[in-house]
Amino acid sequence: MLNKLRDSLQPMMTRLGTSFASTGMSANFWTGVGLAISIAAGVAYASPAFLDVRWYSPYLAAVIGGVLLLVSAFFDVVDGSVARVTKQTSKKGAFLDSSFDKISEVVIFAGIAFGSLADPFWCLVALGVSILVSYTRARAESLGVELKGIGIGERAERILILAIIGMIPLDLISGMHSGMYWAVIIVSIVAGITLIQRVAVTAKKLSSSFT
């Protein structure tokens, strides 16, 4: 869904890449910055489990974690923009970017579960299905099937759901479960639908290639 929006924002992303490239730092450096900030977000989500301060609450942890998660997502955009502007796209960069994304997801969901911001069972489901979504794309593309933009919930959409819905204080407003509780469930559902879409598209394309 966001891939369609990304095309219309390409000029702005080019300017963004040019600005960050002018610092002299490589795309891989900015990929590392994004990972570091996402790890900080995971720690923020987990903080209610070990930070015992009267004024500190799970909701505040969700807000801090959500803001950091959005900042890390911004650097996900930066590293790709810098790579394109400097023409430094490489297999190494693609590998690091993909690997760091998976590390980030593990840390984020582990932090949410450890900090008791959502049901650990749903955190496990969301993490597992999210990784399967990435795996199906990697496996399909190794077989020559392009899956970019296939599915309603790629990584960018899932991050936005976690960060934004996770910051909504539903438990404080209405007494129901927190925004993060529902955010993790929504991510599980969206990622599950995306997984089914990608498996179906890949199977169809591979079948047609042998007819």
Side-chain angles (χ1 to χ4, degrees):
M1 294 171 68
L2 291 180
N3 272 322
K4 298 176 182 178
L5 177 62
R6 187 177 292 122
D7 291 337
S8 64
L9 296 178
Q10 194 59 49
M12 185 181 71
M13 293 172 67
T14 298
R15 291 194 295 272
L16 180 68
T18 302
S19 297
F20 278 86
S22 66
T23 64
M25 298 299 183
S26 68
N28 290 341
F29 171 81
W30 298 116
T31 300
V33 170
L35 174 63
I37 297 175
S38 67
I39 290 175
V43 172
Y45 283 138
S47 60
F50 56 80
L51 188 59
D52 186 16
V53 181
R54 179 179 300 176
W55 54 265
Y56 194 73
S57 67
Y59 173 65
L60 183 57
V63 170
I64 295 173
V67 170
L68 289 171
L69 187 55
L70 290 174
V71 174
S72 73
F74 169 74
F75 282 101
D76 272 348
V77 174
V78 168
D79 62 7
S81 299
V82 170
R84 285 187 291 274
V85 166
T86 59
K87 296 181 171 54
Q88 292 179 339
T89 54
S90 64
K91 291 181 179 180
K92 176 185 176 181
F95 171 77
L96 290 177
D97 187 50
S98 179
S99 298
F100 285 5
D101 283 351
K102 296 309 106 189
I103 294 171
S104 171
E105 285 191 282
V106 170
V107 171
I108 291 299
F109 284 111
I112 293 171
F114 189 72
S116 299
L117 300 183
D119 190 323
F121 169 78
W122 282 110
C123 289
L124 181 61
V125 172
L127 174 60
V129 182
S130 294
I131 289 177
L132 284 173
V133 167
S134 298
Y135 171 78
T136 52
R137 176 176 174 178
R139 185 68 179 117
E141 293 185 349
S142 73
L143 297 173
V145 178
E146 175 63 48
L147 287 182
K148 182 178 180 180
I150 300 298
I152 65 171
E154 295 190 294
R155 184 172 183 272
E157 286 86 356
R158 299 196 302 271
I159 286 177
L160 289 177
I161 290 170
L162 276 180
I164 296 175
I165 297 181
M167 289 190 285
I168 300 175
L170 294 177
D171 52 336
L172 301 179
I173 296 173
S174 61
M176 61 190 298
H177 288 296
S178 68
M180 183 58 75
Y181 176 90
W182 293 110
V184 172
I185 292 177
I186 293 171
V187 166
S188 300
I189 296 171
V190 168
I193 294 172
T194 303
L195 176 62
I196 293 171
Q197 288 176 301
R198 290 188 169 184
V199 169
V201 168
T202 302
K204 181 178 180 180
K205 289 186 177 181
L206 289 176
S207 295
S208 62
S209 65
F210 289 103
T211 57

